[in-house]
């Protein structure tokens, strides 16, 4: 059953969260040009889409009375959510403990601690199961501290809720000629995809929803597997509790190295820096555009920029051949991407 829309009233502290820009780029696909609109969430406060999620998670707990002044907020994070939670907790007077893993970007951890958060790093677990270790550490902290509250990005209805009433609504309001043919979203917890899908199913049902998941991820089902080139914030070691089958029209599995290659091509051709999950969404959009000639205007949710990710600072990934023929063809198309001179609304 689809959960009801969650309306979390933003506080004054969130006044610069949201209303991020849409920037169009053009990709030649066969005998036509597809316009891809990049929803640049790096323009949010704290530098990512997780500013929306963090504000919603905290407001949800405050509204319910579970979170009160002086208490401790606890969360498992791969980086971006932790930075946003640390900053908002510092402003609102909460203690903050964040559980990360060794591959969490060093710059993200430094920002968390600069905001005064306590950071706990769990060891890497083979087989793509480090998320389980992070969640176990969260439960141990909660058991030891009666004043600790878990924001629980993996199950809180505030996660998809904020993307339903805020992020998706912005996409529709900013759409060229009032609509997109498709929207592409990479998955991790699945909150962004679920919220956006709910809104479009209700308000613009003809828009196709494209989900990009990592090869080796369990976000959309299946067993987790080792991901040697793992990009943070893309895919998950457990299935999403938010995503339902009707949310996705198409699922595209993308290797981390291919997503990184897409980021490298976009930066080189357009000057736009994107994080790995953004590259995966763009790549999935191009894959579908090659297969469906009706797709000409596609929005891609781009959760953050790429500067803090070591895997994206060089270009080796762009030279890694991908075994999937459709992915290789999409990367070839992206090698000809160009920015559009006129900025999006």
């Amino acid at each position: 059953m689809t959960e009801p829309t969650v309306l979390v009233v933003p506080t004054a502290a969130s006044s610069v969260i949201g209303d991020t820009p849409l920037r169009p780029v053009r990709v030649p696909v066969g005998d036509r040009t597809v316009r891809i609109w990049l929803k640049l969430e790096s323009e949010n406060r704290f530098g990512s889409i997780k500013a929306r999620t963090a504000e919603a998670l905290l407001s949800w707990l405050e509204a319910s009375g579970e979170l009160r002044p002086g208490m401790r907020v606890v969360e498992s994070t791969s980086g971006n959510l932790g930075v946003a939670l640390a900053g908002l907790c510092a402003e609102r007077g909460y203690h903050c403990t964040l559980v990360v893993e060794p591959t969490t970007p060093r710059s993200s951890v430094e920002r968390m601690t600069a905001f005064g958060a306590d950071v706990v790093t769990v060891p890497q677990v083979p087989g793509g199961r480090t998320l389980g270790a992070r969640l176990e550490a969260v439960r141990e902290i909660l058991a030891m501290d009666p004043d600790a509250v878990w924001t629980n990005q993996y199950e809180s209805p505030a996660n998809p809720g904020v993307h339903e009433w805020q992020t998706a609504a912005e996409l529709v309001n900013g759409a060229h000629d009032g609509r997109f043919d498709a929207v592409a979203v990479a998955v991790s917890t699945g909150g962004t995809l679920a919220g956006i899908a709910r809104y479009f199913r209700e308000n613009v049902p003809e828009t196709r929803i494209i989900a990009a998941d990592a090869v080796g991820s369990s976000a959309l089902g299946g067993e987790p597997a080792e991901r040697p080139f793992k990009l943070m914030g893309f895919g998950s070691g457990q299935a999403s509790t938010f995503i339902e089958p009707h949310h996705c029209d198409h699922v595209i599995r993308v290797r981390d190295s291919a997503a990184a290659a897409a980021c490298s091509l976009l930066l080189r051709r357009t000057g736009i820096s994107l994080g790995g999950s953004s590259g995966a969404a763009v790549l999935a959009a191009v894959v579908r555009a090659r297969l469906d000639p009706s797709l000409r205007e596609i929005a891609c949710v781009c959760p953050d920029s790429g500067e803090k990710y070591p895997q994206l600072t060089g270009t080796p990934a762009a030279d890694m051949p991908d075994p999937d023929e459709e992915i290789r063809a999409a990367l070839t198309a992206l090698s000809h991407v160009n920015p559009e001179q006129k900025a999006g609304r």
Side-chain angles (χ1 to χ4, degrees), residues 184 186 212-213 231 234 252 254-255 258-260 262-263 275-285:
D213 196 9
L231 297 169
F234 176 41
I252 308 296
V254 177
R255 286 173 174 77
C263 293
S277 60
S278 308
V282 172
L283 194 53

Side-chain angles (χ1 to χ4, degrees), residues 70-239:
M71 295 183 71
R72 178 174 299 278
V73 168
V74 183
E75 185 57 277
S76 156
T77 174
S78 61
N80 285 332
L81 181 64
V83 171
L85 280 175
L88 291 174
C89 284
E91 292 177 359
R92 299 186 183 194
Y94 304 125
H95 303 289
C96 184
T97 298
L98 302 164
V99 181
V100 303
E101 57 192 75
T103 53
T104 301
R106 180 181 297 273
S107 61
S108 296
V109 173
E110 290 173 350
R111 290 188 70 191
M112 295 175 206
T113 56
F115 284 124
D118 298 320
V119 179
V120 176
T121 304
V122 301
Q124 205 74 29
V125 179
R129 299 183 182 278
T130 306
L131 174 59
R134 280 165 34 195
L135 295 177
E136 181 58 31
V138 167
R139 295 184 187 99
E140 291 174 358
I141 294 166
L142 294 172
M144 291 187 296
D145 186 351
D147 286 328
V149 178
W150 184 15
T151 42
N152 196 358
Q153 62 166 320
Y154 310 96
E155 296 182 359
S156 171
N159 183 349
V162 71
H163 299 297
E164 181 177 0
W165 64 263
Q166 188 184 85
T167 313
E170 287 178 24
L171 283 168
V172 170
N173 290 337
H176 177 70
D177 291 337
R179 65 182 296 274
F180 290 114
D181 299 315
V183 177
V185 185
V187 298
S188 181
T189 66
T192 304
L193 175 64
I196 287 174
R198 289 179 196 171
Y199 187 94
F200 275 87
R201 291 292 187 248
E202 179 69 24
N203 297 281
V204 198
E206 65 273 18
T207 297
R208 313 297 283 175
I209 304 297
I210 303 167
D213 196 9
V215 173
S217 161
S218 292
L220 297 179
E223 286 295 314
E226 290 291 351
R227 295 163 56 191
F229 201 80
K230 183 180 179 183
L231 297 169
M232 302 307 293
F234 176 41
S236 178
Q238 67 179 20

